[in-house]
Amino acid sequence: MSVQVFGLPVSRGVAIGRAVLVASSRVDVAHYFIEPEQTGAELRRLKKARDQVCREFEALKLDVQGDAPAELVALLDVHLMLLNDDLLAGATCQWIEERQYNAEWAVAAQLETLSRQFDEMEDEYLRERKADLEQVAERLIETLARGGQSVGVRASLGAAADDVPLVLVANDISPADMMQFKGGVFRGFVTDVGGRTSHTAIVARSLDIPAVVGARDASRIIRQDDWIIIDGDAGLVIVDPSPMILEEYRFRQRQGQLERDRLARLRHRPAVSLDGQRIELLANIELPTDAPAALEAGAEGVGLFRSEFLFMNRGGRLPDEDEQHAAYAAAVTTMRGLPVTIRTIDIGADKPLDRMTLSELRHEHSLNPAMGLRAIRWSLADPGMFTVQLRAILRAAALGPVRLLVPMISHPGEIRATFEAIERARAQLRREQLPCGDVKIGAMIEVPAAALMLPLFLRHFDFVSLGTNDLIQYTLAIDRADESVAHLYDPWHPAVLGLVSTTIRAARAAGREVCVCGEMAGDMEFTELLLALGLRSFSMHPSQLPGIKQRILRTEIPALEALADQVLTSDDPRAAWLAGRARTVQPAPVPVA
């Protein structure tokens, strides 16, 4: 029977495929695909771990016999039986052979399947054996994790299950984990938790695939291998759809592809409004390998290179200067003389580093990561790491135009310390006679304090970038990754629009460049309003560029400027904007070249 699950729409479009569940567990589970030729080695690794656990259980039986109750020995026998039962052992091998799952993932997937079967048993005693199964599976996973080197993550995940479309279902997916899947295996994502502008949602949009977050019990309702539909426009997940519903959504998929093909023809057309104003459209990227997509989409440069993704999924080992320089240099050279804005590492909150690194830096147990040691605070607290990154960026700037962007800066002391760190790095490179380019230095305006003291910032920085995601979060005191308060996250809030407007107008009055690189930049609902407020530079994921460009080509900015002032003084800005726009704007056709 078909079931509908509702959540928050965070990445548009329709995905249809079989569910792959990433089971939550009390132990960390590595999830990666193996190459087909590695199947035999992975099966041997699983057998070795299972034999080791068997030996541990047998040794424990010998140790406790005579001193312990007979029930404990019987329980160990049950665990041994479960460990060798074909429902666990044999089926786990199937996940490895048929899906190319790594051994830990295969055990977790089969545990999820068997747990559901135990939950449906009528006999209470048999239902309670689920806890024994979980203990055995987790012991096996732990043994696998410490039993030797992993086979390794497939460089390109696109070869897995080519004939079966897959969608990923989980309680939550960290941005780092999502980056591991950046290769085309999964057609969509569904998570139980998360908000529209959590970094998980942002990365989902960067993959340009449909996603629904905050779907509550999705990972418990959906079973391994269920056929599901993800409606990324409505925030709807349909489990086991009927043939009629399936065909309707397949038609919508085809229509969506036709629309993307039509918009793609605008990529080489300049973004000029109807009244002749040229608008700069830039791209946000996570890795240097994203730069070609930015060029292909018609971006005029990179407005935000999120450098923190170079630091993730590394087992606690930070990238050295040469590795970082190679990554930044690759992005700069790929963009062929167009500007590249590199944001210094923005670690913290919902983008932690690997556990080893956090533990080493003793930042793992922050009570409120969003308010804690993150972004520029984290960098200034680790000057050695920060210097390495600054040196790598300055070296890359010798190859093309680079702008350096500082995240979450809010104190005059942080401004001074940041410029001193940049100058120290530059002086070191000069002493060592290494190439060092000039960079424009900018500040992210994402803390209300920064917006309120903007004149001070404009005296020091060459440009400013509005990070609207965090600006909304900190202005409204809302954790943007928490679905329980997601309904309060409101880009239309009068206080938010007031700070955005003040920043844009003050920067332009001071002759400083200003860009919006947060989610508002790629949301067509805000394009005309931001233009009316004076914004002339937008940065977004490459997939959003064609739609935003089309909206700009259809906009006559002067007609909206007076309306913007009315919106800023309204108690309900969104309603005021929509009503005023309906009276003011007549749709204009845009010929497609």
Side-chain angles (χ1 to χ4, degrees), residues 208-219:
D208 194 23
I209 57 176
V212 173
V213 303
R216 301 289 182 172
D217 296 324
S219 68

Side-chain angles (χ1 to χ4, degrees), residues 196-213:
R196 284 186 176 88
T197 53
S198 65
H199 281 96
T200 298
I202 292 170
V203 177
R205 281 187 288 275
S206 80
L207 298 176
D208 194 23
I209 57 176
V212 173
V213 303

